[in-house]
Amino acid sequence: MAENLAPIPELYVSYDSAQKLKVEAADLVSWDLSPRQICDLELLMNGGFNPLKGFLSEEDYNGVVENMRLADGSLWPMPITLDVSEDFAASLEAGQDIALRDQEGVILATMTVTDNWVPNKSKEAEKVFGADDDAHPAVNYLHNTAGKVYLGGPVVGIQQPVHYDFRARRDTPNELRAYFRKLGWRRVVAFQTRNPLHRAHQELTFRAAKEAQANLLIHPVVGMTKPGDVDHFTRVRCYEAVLDKYPQSTTNMSLLPLAMRMAGPREAVWHGLIRKNYGVTHFIVGRDHAGPGKNSQGEDFYGPYDAQDLFKEHEEEMGIEMVPFKHMVYVQERAQYEPNDEIMDKDDVTILNISGTELRRRLAEGLEIPEWFSFPEVVAELRKTKPPRSKQGFTVFFTGFSGSGKSTIANALMVKLMEMGGRPVTLLDGDIVRKNLSSELGFSKEHRDLNIRRIGYVASEITKNGGIAICAPIAPYATTRRAVREDVENFGAFVEVHVATSIEECEKRDRKGLYKLAREGKIKEFTGISDPYDVPETPELRVETVGHDVDNCAHQVILKLESMGLIAAH
Ligand code: PPS
């Protein structure tokens, strides 16, 4: 099958019309797009999401959720929706044009809002992602980040989102199509990835291209991937190094600004349709393609070959051929990679393999990564971004009632860590933060959340830059603590310490006299008295303060940090 490489439709208007529209759009009501919405919009506008002409209408959405089909019957497995707040949605009239702006306020597109509805998110989660379980990153996003209301309607593209990084490696579908045309690449196999490439990947992609008698396109996702993945800057530097390992002029790499959903089978079909738009004829689908990991019961969300099965079912209609991914392992005696299921003499040879988890462990602990596993240039890049855990930043997040002893233990911990040296330590104590960062806030749920999110933001920046952040607010709400954990874990470890002093004990101590005032009703919304506290269910550490002095409590935290490899054992 060779692809027809004629241009595909884009949603952009001409340069002159764009200039005019931009001026007119300045008067429209605007929506500031989230990072994920910017990714979606870019692929809508450049034809990557062809045949979509805008964010899904309610009718299209229902069809997509229900049976992967738009209202006109075309195959489309993923809801591409513009989620907004209730207030914003309520301010709009049917048929109103709005401006869509990036995070700096630049107008990227306009949209005519034809549809405005409250989706059934639980149903969307069940149907699209297979379970209404927040352990799935896209379900978590759906319930905890996405707005409550969806807007649908056609989009008119004014300009592409601006990217300052790796510009030469970014292509629209039509640019790639033109490139394939120019080079006479009639058969192209694409490899989708969100991870660094090692020798096994290089081997399997090379074989896939040979088998399909096609050229190879490494097509990594640089939009949004799974939380915790290696950042795309590092990955692209790694990919550049691997590109040199392929025979010259057989292989190219282009970056895809997609926001992944980790939806396994549906995602594989979606990836295929997108690649088809990019002019690709063959697509590699591996074991557990775009898998989100384990659900809250500790089981896999999807079967290992569900993605291949669903892809196969729709392959013909999609017009892109699947190349099933073989599990490659290293055979020591023959010093080469071979597909695991093709090795006939398994009992006589030594098969070597390093799992993703094992690789992360070796990087985290600064251990050797053998040359048979990866290329030295790739390992060097990974080591630069992922120094061993004992050199990375991290956050210790104390939570507990007022007067539980959080601040005292946090102070002792800070001093102990400063005595050890090696990394800067910052204490974000509840009172300090309320004085310097959150002086205008009170103690309503909304204000407490804001306060904690600010602490989380600062802690994540400290963690990112290799420092140690010690936070000690009450942080009474589990969902907010979880959000902070997610912010921090993008950059380093998050160690939640529950200072488990009971409310009775805190009230008995009443070091600041606040409990008395709270009982008298003179302080409202007081945590534990007249405001809730969600006890952490699975903190990294729980410390009891009754019967343990401060030094001992701080020492327990130090031991925990050692056992997690965050500080070198002494
Ligand atoms: S929160 O909920 O995490 O935003 O609270 P935090 O920023 O840690 O602030 C808690 C300190 O403020 C004092 N204080 C109150 N605490 C709880 N509820 C109410 N209504 C309240 N009003 C004032 C109290 O001294 C807390 O200090 P700590 O250090 O925790 O004792």
Side-chain angles (χ1 to χ4, degrees):
M1 186 187 339
E3 179 60 34
N4 164 13
L5 290 171
I8 54 157
E10 298 185 347
L11 305 183
Y12 293 112
V13 289
S14 69
Y15 179 79
D16 287 343
S17 311
Q19 298 315 306
K20 216 169 124 236
L21 190 56
K22 202 166 188 168
V23 176
E24 290 164 10
D27 293 332
L28 298 176
V29 170
S30 332
W31 175 252
D32 295 335
L33 299 158
S34 67
R36 184 164 110 171
Q37 291 169 344
I38 293 176
C39 290
D40 287 353
L41 180 65
E42 180 166 6
L43 287 171
L44 278 172
M45 294 193 296
N46 71 15
F49 286 169
N50 180 53
L52 305 192
K53 299 281 178 267
F55 287 97
L56 293 188
S57 67
E58 186 173 4
E59 197 188 4
D60 282 335
Y61 167 80
N62 288 334
V64 168
V65 168
E66 205 60 57
N67 56 17
M68 310 207 304
R69 295 206 177 263
L70 301 172
D72 69 3
S74 337
L75 181 68
W76 190 266
M78 198 56 66
I80 305 299
T81 48
L82 188 70
D83 60 282
V84 300
S85 64
E86 289 168 297
D87 288 349
F88 183 74
S91 72
L92 301 176
E93 284 166 20
Q96 184 172 340
D97 285 346
I98 60 171
L100 302 178
R101 295 178 187 258
D102 73 7
Q103 296 195 312
E104 282 176 33
V106 176
I107 301 178
L108 302 178
T110 62
M111 170 172 153
T112 306
V113 181
T114 55
D115 293 60
N116 182 334
W117 78 102
V118 177
N120 179 342
K121 290 190 176 179
S122 294
K123 181 173 173 194
E124 180 179 333
E126 288 283 354
K127 290 272 183 186
V128 178
F129 305 110
D132 192 8
D133 181 340
D134 277 11
H136 191 299
V139 176
N140 183 26
Y141 185 95
L142 185 63
H143 288 308
N144 301 315
T145 306
K148 285 202 162 61
V149 184
Y150 288 173
L151 303 181
V155 158
V156 177
I158 295 176
Q159 69 165 74
Q160 297 193 42
V162 183
H163 299 287
Y164 297 105
D165 56 335
F166 308 114
R167 292 171 91 136
R169 289 279 183 204
R170 293 177 182 269
D171 305 284
T172 66
N174 282 328
E175 283 166 350
L176 262 195
R177 282 171 170 253
Y179 174 84
F180 297 153
R181 263 201 318 269
K182 188 168 170 186
L183 295 191
W185 287 18
R186 303 290 292 159
R187 292 163 70 88
V188 182
V189 54
F191 183 62
Q192 135 85 34
T193 183
R194 43 170 264 269
N195 286 312
L197 299 185
H198 302 295
R199 281 186 198 271
H201 304 104
Q202 196 272 337
E203 191 67 34
L204 93 89
T205 49
F206 181 61
R207 276 174 181 252
K210 241 184 6 196
E211 273 169 33
Q213 294 182 310
N215 288 95
L216 177 64
L217 176 71
I218 307 291
H219 209 195
V221 172
V222 296
M224 293 170 79
T225 60
K226 198 174 156 194
D229 279 349
V230 177
D231 67 88
H232 81 265
F233 299 102
T234 308
R235 284 191 288 117
V236 176
R237 291 196 298 270
C238 292
Y239 301 140
E240 296 277 6
V242 177
L243 266 189
D244 292 344
K245 315 291 174 194
Y246 293 95
Q248 256 195 345
S249 348
T250 60
T251 304
N252 195 6
M253 174 178 63
S254 181
L255 308 180
L256 180 67
L258 175 72
M260 289 182 72
R261 314 300 209 250
M262 309 308 298
R266 277 199 186 222
E267 181 113 3
V269 172
W270 188 40
H271 287 174
L273 289 170
I274 295 167
R275 269 39 180 242
K276 164 92 181 160
N277 288 330
Y278 276 85
V280 161
T281 55
H282 294 70
F283 185 61
I284 300 174
V285 181
R287 193 182 175 281
D288 195 25
H289 186 96
K294 306 271 185 222
N295 66 18
S296 49
Q297 264 71 55
E299 292 150 6
D300 288 332
F301 276 94
Y302 314 115
Y305 297 104
D306 289 2
Q308 291 187 354
D309 293 345
L310 194 70
F311 199 106
K312 197 86 210 141
E313 214 177 287
H314 297 283
E315 188 177 48
E316 213 173 294
E317 183 180 357
M318 289 161 73
I320 179 166
E321 208 173 302
M322 175 170 80
V323 181
F325 176 118
K326 305 216 170 74
H327 181 46
M328 305 292 288
V329 290
Y330 187 74
V331 181
Q332 193 173 33
E333 285 75 5
R334 292 194 278 273
Q336 65 180 9
Y337 276 91
E338 296 176 16
N340 194 27
D341 54 3
E342 287 175 19
I343 303 172
M344 295 306 158
D345 52 354
K346 280 210 173 93
D347 292 339
D348 305 324
V349 293
T350 321
I351 292 177
L352 300 177
N353 197 14
I354 293 183
S355 67
T357 315
E358 172 63 10
L359 174 67
R360 280 189 290 277
R361 186 186 76 86
R362 289 188 185 209
L363 284 171
E365 294 179 20
L367 301 174
E368 194 227 338
I369 293 163
E371 279 214 23
W372 63 261
F373 177 77
S374 195
F375 304 99
E377 302 92 320
V378 172
V379 175
E381 280 300 339
L382 292 178
R383 286 206 198 280
K384 267 193 250 161
T385 350
K386 279 251 167 228
R389 283 192 127 196
S390 61
K391 297 212 162 60
Q392 284 173 26
F394 63 88
T395 291
V396 180
F397 192 94
F398 289 95
T399 167
F401 291 120
S402 169
S404 57
K406 303 180 300 286
S407 308
T408 324
I409 303 170
N411 266 296
L413 177 67
M414 177 173 73
V415 172
K416 283 176 189 284
L417 289 170
M418 287 171 88
E419 183 188 358
M420 287 177 196
R423 281 173 287 199
V425 189
T426 305
L427 178 60
L428 296 165
D429 189 26
D431 285 341
I432 305 175
V433 171
R434 283 203 172 257
K435 195 161 143 225
N436 295 299
L437 278 181
S438 295
S439 55
E440 84 285 20
L441 300 183
F443 289 88
S444 63
K445 165 141 194 350
E446 195 192 350
H447 277 194
R448 287 181 198 260
D449 281 352
L450 253 176
N451 182 39
I452 300 305
R453 293 305 295 259
R454 287 177 188 172
I455 294 177
Y457 173 71
V458 177
S460 70
E461 287 292 310
I462 291 170
T463 303
K464 178 169 88 184
N465 292 310
I468 300 174
I470 304 176
C471 315
I474 297 177
Y477 305 116
T479 44
T480 325
R481 293 194 300 257
R482 181 182 163 145
V484 171
R485 176 184 289 274
E486 279 166 16
D487 287 349
V488 171
E489 284 183 345
N490 286 325
F491 307 111
F494 181 83
V495 185
E496 186 174 359
V497 181
H498 176 211
V499 182
T501 318
S502 68
I503 190 72
E504 294 76 22
E505 177 66 20
C506 293
E507 188 166 3
K508 203 166 81 195
R509 295 180 192 165
D510 205 4
R511 290 178 53 189
K512 299 182 184 166
L514 296 176
Y515 283 92
K516 182 167 174 290
L517 296 175
R519 284 286 178 209
E520 291 165 4
K522 291 185 182 144
I523 305 180
K524 306 261 178 286
E525 300 174 312
F526 197 85
T527 307
I529 304 293
S530 43
D531 217 54
Y533 178 81
D534 304 336
V535 174
E537 286 174 11
T538 49
E540 275 70 13
L541 180 70
R542 211 183 293 280
V543 291
E544 303 290 343
T545 57
V546 178
H548 298 271
D549 64 17
V550 175
D551 194 67
N552 178 270
C553 294
H555 191 63
Q556 287 179 47
V557 182
I558 293 280
L559 292 177
K560 185 74 206 173
L561 298 176
E562 271 180 18
S563 76
M564 292 174 74
L566 293 167
I567 49 181
H570 59 280

